[in-house]
Amino acid sequence: MSNPSHVPAPEMFQSKGMTRFLIGLISVGIISLIVVLAIGLFAPAGSPLKHQFIFSWLFAFLYFFTILIGCLFWILLHHATDSGWGIVVRRQMENLAFLVPWMLLFFIPIFLLRTELWQWITDIGKPHLTPDLKDKLAYFNLPLGPVSIPFFWVRAILYFVFFGSAAFYFRSTSIKQDSDGDPRRSIQMRGVSFLGIILFAVCTTLMAFDWMASLDYRWASTMWGVYIFAGSAGASMALIILVVFGLKGAGYLSFVNEEHYHIMGKLLFCFSIFWGYIGFSQYMLIWYGNIPEETEWFVRRNVESWNTLSTAMVVGRFFIPFLYLLFQYTKRNSKFLAAISIWVLIMHVIDTYITIMPFMHPTGVQINPLDVLCLFAIGCPLAFIFLTTLGKVSLFPSKDPRLLESLKLSN
Amino acid sequence: MTAAAAKQEPFAAIAEFASAADLYHAAEKVRDKGYRFWDVHSPFPIHGMNKAMGLGKSYLGYIIFCGGFTGFATAVCLEFIPSSFLYPLIVHGKPVSFFTVPAFFPVMFELTVLFSAFTAFFGVFVLNRLPRFHHPLFGYPSFRRVTRDAFFLVIEAVDPRFSEAGTVDFLTEIGGKEATLIYEND
């Protein structure tokens, strides 16, 4: 075991050797972005192609959005619990969460094509509302005084304001600490994270209701927000593991050792279990209760080939990571851990796909080229922004007062 | 020391160390010397001590896995044999088939957890040879301070490398104070 007694100097990421890769990445991103946006914006309104575009886009948007806010959750948890283990990897969480403000740009097509997505937006214009929509109108479109405020969109802005400003605050404070090493910043961030974790819970729950569950506004489940949170926190831990693994492979962060991987593996393991626990609890209560407006959600996801995919997701997102990560060896060996992290990220694609797409293809799974293109159109620019901004600050908080504690970590 | 006690077989050799760091480094030396039946005692857990002592991974986890699996299998048998074979009953319009399995999951989960917890609890007892009402170390007066401010290293006589004079000398050599032998009936 290496037992460093001094703090290493700040490391800066050099992107010189990967110019070609970066150009390739942004080219793929921009080409697919142009293709999908052209299809989406110029296809005639109400056509199946436009419909397909906006559903694929929402799917891809939510895939990345949930992962990025999951990274914010790990920062908040890290500060709130005053953890010492992860100081060396915390900067990567901050860098990833800092991509959230960019998601606002990718939200624009969703706003423009909102009537294609959310059925109730067109329904509330009609003279006679169904009783279930009438009761929920205050939540969807709260009238405040003389002016009718579209509460749904105000909330959407609030989510971006909260997630974006929290990501900005924690990253910039941590960077300021890189230069002055003031321990009071750590204490201040801990205080902010207490409030932040409450706001995070509120925003994530409401976001999950607004953008996913309200695709079928009759459906309600108190577990839904937790379910989305559990999946996103697990997937973002997988992404953090992969980013650290990649940086270590490129010769940076040489002091990250199997002890750090062990803890990250344990967190990935526990969030795989948590996802299974929440997903099952939600499913079993609705299945056992057998109330039509609740079961509709799961009936939709278990017709024809959706049933196969839903079953495969349960096996792939819960049973495989559970049995795989049960062993200490797989958590401590970085290659084994990176392999299951890729697997979890793929399973998160399927999870998001099953959340969104049954509304588009109620008769069975139909994978459209637009689904893949939209993933590239959002993912490649995000990866490009991440890699180009990575070199601007040190790869770890080099003057954090607890850095040495993190370096000497022992499980 | 009385003549009667001197004829007894010693239980162990014990030495006191000044600090946690001293104990840690002494443990590394004892490990490198090749002793197998020995232990350290301190008022608080010392980080990294299991590495310094060269302890392997506890195999308690494998025992717990077996316990947990037994619990799981018990739940499967107790639920499926009566509800699907002996006395199939249609409840809530749910089919009597494999697809009723979600209703059985909570019990499977609970019994897995229950059996794992019991195995862990009693497994620790068995592996540590507990319960035990007396231990020869308690006969050594200074050992009472181990819960307060003293750090001890004990090498048991069952160790093949143990020798009455040699081990005591060795403990003194690696920095132990008041290295001495402890007898079973002290």
Side-chain angles (χ1 to χ4, degrees):
Chain A
M1 191 183 79
S2 64
N3 222 347
S5 54
H6 66 282
V7 174
E11 274 180 19
M12 304 302 272
F13 179 75
Q14 309 285 337
S15 58
K16 273 179 199 148
M18 53 192 305
T19 320
R20 235 188 235 170
F21 173 72
L22 284 177
I23 291 173
L25 195 66
I26 194 64
S27 318
V28 172
I30 286 180
I31 290 169
S32 35
L33 198 58
I34 290 171
V35 170
V36 293
L37 286 181
I39 292 174
L41 298 178
F42 295 113
S47 67
L49 195 60
K50 197 160 194 140
H51 210 51
Q52 175 68 51
F53 159 74
I54 196 60
F55 272 90
S56 299
W57 184 269
L58 183 71
F59 149 69
F61 173 85
L62 286 173
Y63 176 68
F64 291 106
F65 191 79
T66 48
I67 291 180
L68 296 181
I69 61 166
C71 293
L72 179 65
F73 164 74
W74 289 115
I75 303 174
L76 287 167
L77 189 72
H78 202 283
H79 286 298
T81 55
D82 200 15
S83 319
W85 69 270
I87 306 290
V88 287
V89 296
R90 203 188 68 211
R91 180 56 49 80
Q92 299 320 316
M93 303 173 189
E94 289 162 354
N95 285 339
L96 285 168
F98 196 53
L99 293 171
V100 168
W102 292 96
M103 295 307 285
L104 189 57
L105 284 181
F106 299 115
F107 191 70
I108 294 171
I110 295 172
F111 178 74
L112 291 178
L113 297 179
R114 56 194 180 279
T115 51
E116 299 270 345
L117 272 177
W118 290 294
Q119 185 62 41
W120 52 265
I121 293 182
T122 40
D123 285 356
I124 53 179
K126 289 173 186 166
H128 297 291
L129 297 176
T130 52
D132 43 7
L133 183 58
K134 206 173 182 178
D135 289 343
K136 289 180 185 175
L137 208 55
Y139 180 71
F140 282 144
N141 221 16
L142 181 72
L144 270 184
V147 275
S148 173
I149 309 254
F151 189 31
F152 185 79
W153 302 107
V154 172
R155 277 200 306 274
I157 295 301
L158 286 179
Y159 305 150
F160 278 104
V161 168
F162 167 70
F163 290 130
S165 58
F168 176 78
Y169 167 77
F170 284 107
R171 186 170 181 268
S172 60
T173 313
S174 172
I175 290 169
K176 276 181 209 151
Q177 200 178 39
D178 273 5
S179 53
D180 60 12
D182 190 349
R184 272 174 300 183
R185 293 193 195 281
S186 294
I187 294 163
Q188 188 199 32
M189 283 194 279
R190 194 191 315 162
V192 173
S193 69
F194 294 147
L195 179 65
I197 217 157
I198 295 169
L199 289 175
F200 178 87
V202 172
C203 283
T204 310
T205 310
L206 295 184
M207 181 276 290
F209 276 115
D210 282 359
W211 296 347
M212 301 180 206
S214 74
L215 288 167
D216 175 3
Y217 62 79
R218 280 160 299 189
W219 188 66
S221 161
T222 48
M223 307 284 267
W224 181 247
V226 190
Y227 173 79
I228 291 302
F229 156 71
S232 68
S236 56
M237 185 39 78
L239 184 64
I240 293 163
I241 291 169
L242 283 177
V243 167
V244 171
F245 179 74
L247 283 172
K248 203 166 147 61
Y252 304 98
L253 300 178
S254 53
F255 38 76
V256 172
N257 56 32
E258 71 270 22
E259 304 288 339
H260 301 100
Y261 281 120
H262 193 174
I263 290 199
M264 292 195 282
K266 281 192 268 193
L267 290 172
L268 184 62
F269 176 64
C270 83
F271 267 84
S272 295
I273 297 174
F274 187 54
W275 180 90
Y277 176 74
I278 294 297
F280 173 72
S281 304
Q282 176 176 265
Y283 175 78
M284 197 202 67
L285 289 174
I286 289 176
W287 171 79
Y288 214 81
N290 218 359
I291 300 168
E293 60 263 37
E294 285 181 352
T295 49
E296 193 192 357
W297 181 269
F298 287 107
V299 169
R300 210 186 267 276
R301 278 155 187 79
N302 283 289
V303 288
E304 304 294 327
S305 46
W306 285 114
N307 178 250
T308 317
L309 196 65
S310 297
T311 316
M313 179 180 69
V314 173
V315 175
R317 181 71 180 84
F318 170 65
F319 284 102
I320 290 177
F322 173 73
L323 293 173
Y324 184 98
L325 288 168
L326 206 52
F327 303 96
Q328 206 177 69
Y329 181 78
T330 48
K331 282 176 285 204
R332 293 177 75 88
N333 184 303
S334 59
K335 284 184 186 128
F336 276 86
L337 192 58
I340 196 71
S341 301
I342 294 171
W343 175 260
V344 167
L345 284 177
I346 295 170
M347 284 303 128
H348 192 59
V349 174
I350 297 181
D351 190 7
T352 320
Y353 195 79
I354 290 179
T355 304
I356 304 297
M357 282 300 169
F359 295 104
M360 177 68 209
H361 302 295
T363 51
V365 186
Q366 282 175 43
I367 296 169
N368 195 287
L370 273 173
D371 299 336
V372 184
L373 274 178
C374 283
L375 279 178
F376 278 109
I378 298 180
C380 290
L382 283 178
F384 178 80
I385 296 164
F386 176 74
L387 287 171
T388 46
T389 51
L390 192 58
K392 294 200 171 148
V393 289
S394 169
L395 286 172
F396 60 93
S398 54
K399 282 193 182 163
D400 192 290
R402 307 182 66 185
L403 182 58
L404 200 61
E405 181 186 333
S406 176
L407 292 171
K408 284 182 168 177
L409 177 69
S410 150
N411 268 292
Chain B
M1 197 177 293
T2 61
K7 280 177 199 158
Q8 280 184 332
E9 288 294 305
F11 166 73
I14 189 167
E16 190 182 337
F17 289 83
S19 67
D22 283 358
L23 187 65
Y24 183 93
H25 296 303
E28 287 176 330
K29 285 173 193 147
V30 177
R31 172 197 67 193
D32 294 341
K33 195 84 174 173
Y35 284 102
R36 282 173 53 228
F37 295 90
W38 59 288
D39 206 353
V40 292
H41 301 270
S42 64
F44 48 82
I46 301 170
H47 270 285
M49 187 50 105
N50 45 359
K51 283 208 178 74
M53 287 178 71
L55 295 178
K57 198 171 156 272
S58 164
Y59 47 92
L60 185 63
Y62 299 101
I63 302 174
I64 296 173
F65 182 82
C66 297
F69 191 80
T70 312
F72 174 74
T74 310
V76 169
C77 294
L78 281 179
E79 289 179 301
F80 273 103
I81 294 173
S83 310
S84 294
F85 299 109
L86 299 182
Y87 201 76
L89 202 66
I90 292 175
V91 182
H92 260 220
K94 301 285 189 288
V96 181
S97 75
F98 176 73
F99 296 100
T100 326
V101 77
F104 294 169
F105 276 171
V107 178
M108 291 179 190
F109 172 75
E110 296 298 345
L111 279 194
T112 309
V113 171
L114 184 74
F115 276 53
S116 305
F118 275 142
T119 319
F121 185 76
F122 292 109
V124 165
F125 266 70
V126 171
L127 291 184
N128 288 311
R129 292 178 204 140
L130 290 171
R132 180 171 181 169
F133 300 110
H134 183 69
H135 194 277
L137 279 180
F138 296 143
Y140 183 54
S142 307
F143 195 72
R144 289 170 192 202
R145 289 195 294 115
V146 77
T147 54
R148 206 165 65 231
D149 59 355
F151 303 88
F152 291 101
L153 200 155
V154 179
I155 300 179
E156 290 182 24
V158 289
D159 196 287
R161 287 171 179 272
F162 185 88
S163 69
E164 291 195 20
T167 305
V168 172
D169 287 347
F170 171 65
L171 284 174
T172 317
E173 191 185 304
I174 60 175
K177 279 172 291 194
E178 295 173 33
T180 181
L181 290 172
I182 291 182
Y183 294 88
E184 288 279 355
N185 296 327
D186 254 4

